Amino acid sequence: QVQLQESGPGLVKPSQTLSLTCTVSGGSISSGSYYWSWIRQPAGKGLEWIGRIYTSGSTNYNPSLKSRVTISVDTSKNQFSLKLSSVTAADTAVYYCARDKVAVAGTVLDVWGKGTTVTVSS
Amino acid sequence: AIRMTQSPSSLSASTGDRVTITCRASQGISSYLAWYQQKPGKAPKLLIYAASTLQSGVPSRFSGSGSGTDFTLTISCLQSEDFATYYCQQYYSYPRTFGQGTKLEIK
């Protein structure tokens, strides 16, 4: 079965760029009708959708983050990545990657990584 | 962005109880609604999508209903493993948005 694993630095300095990678195992990132998403959750708070990518490279971003976010995919490595620029303490959160599966209509987040904590601090 | 509002924000119940959580969308979303369960320190888990379709492997004591702006998640007979936080999420439009969560606690 498909599994997702986030990786990247756990500590990022303010104003720098947060970079995370999600490695997909147990299946090809290019197979099936799937998008690949990023979601984050500040400690003790709710979930915020960051954006998603299709293996063609087509993306959708949350407008609240759009000017700072880039999501990319590397099908040869079975990975997709998140870059968030000009970070501040407000970007401190657990970051999850997830598979966005085409459902009856629309897409739903059916497989999630375990999450990785990113702290923005000098 | 579509605002999703859950009620209550927290709920105390006992094993064996029937509980209902409500989710309201700020505008109509047809049936483009999913429910997730999250336990402390864990990733969310998809329970229900299309408002009422049970994800594979999810126990039948979970059910969902609603369309348009008002939705409910019902757990018919609470088990110990059901104590968690529940989130609704709309996938009708971008950005995808979640409710603030409902924490289900043991009474």
Side-chain angles (χ1 to χ4, degrees):
Chain A
Q1 74 202 46
V2 172
Q3 294 184 311
L4 282 64
Q5 178 67 59
E6 305 87 352
S7 60
L11 180 63
V12 181
K13 290 181 174 9
S15 80
Q16 294 191 342
T17 296
L18 177 160
S19 296
L20 296 175
T21 296
C22 183
T23 300
V24 179
S25 59
S28 170
I29 199 171
S30 300
S31 67
S33 300
Y34 304 120
Y35 291 76
W36 303 92
S37 296
W38 288 97
I39 303 97
R40 70 180 182 178
Q41 184 174 37
K45 296 188 177 181
L47 298 158
E48 180 180 31
W49 181 80
I50 299 171
R52 71 176 191 178
I53 190 165
Y54 192 60
T55 49
S56 66
S58 173
T59 54
N60 301 103
Y61 295 136
N62 192 323
S64 68
L65 299 168
K66 188 173 183 178
S67 63
R68 299 194 290 130
V69 170
T70 302
I71 297 176
S72 58
V73 64
D74 187 337
T75 55
S76 67
K77 294 182 179 179
N78 233 30
Q79 295 176 336
F80 62 107
S81 299
L82 169 70
K83 291 188 185 298
L84 181 65
S85 64
S86 305
V87 297
T88 69
D91 296 310
T92 294
V94 176
Y95 285 76
Y96 295 100
C97 59
R99 187 177 77 173
D100 203 1
K101 183 187 81 167
V102 174
V104 175
T107 62
V108 290
L109 302 163
D110 72 325
V111 179
W112 294 62
K114 293 182 178 180
T116 188
T117 298
V118 178
T119 301
V120 178
S121 175
S122 55
Chain B
I2 297 175
R3 181 175 176 83
M4 307 300 292
T5 303
Q6 290 181 230
S7 61
S9 295
S10 63
L11 176 59
S12 294
S14 301
T15 303
D17 284 354
R18 177 185 178 95
V19 298
T20 297
I21 298 169
T22 297
C23 178
R24 175 165 289 175
S26 61
Q27 65 185 74
I29 59 170
S30 185
S31 296
Y32 293 81
L33 184 100
W35 289 97
Y36 298 86
Q37 176 193 67
Q38 186 178 33
K39 295 182 179 180
K42 301 294 186 181
K45 172 188 173 183
L46 177 64
L47 297 176
I48 287 170
Y49 60 94
S52 61
T53 302
L54 210 60
Q55 170 71 348
S56 175
V58 174
S60 59
R61 63 181 179 272
F62 291 90
S63 63
S65 66
S67 68
T69 60
D70 295 315
F71 302 87
T72 59
L73 171 70
T74 299
I75 311 172
S76 61
C77 183
L78 273 174
Q79 302 298 300
S80 57
E81 61 266 31
D82 300 336
F83 292 95
T85 299
Y86 293 85
Y87 294 93
C88 61
Q89 180 230 338
Q90 65 82 20
Y91 52 99
Y92 178 80
S93 69
Y94 300 106
R96 306 305 198 215
T97 47
F98 294 86
Q100 82 279 14
T102 294
K103 186 173 184 179
L104 179 53
E105 299 175 301
I106 299 174
K107 185 182 287 185

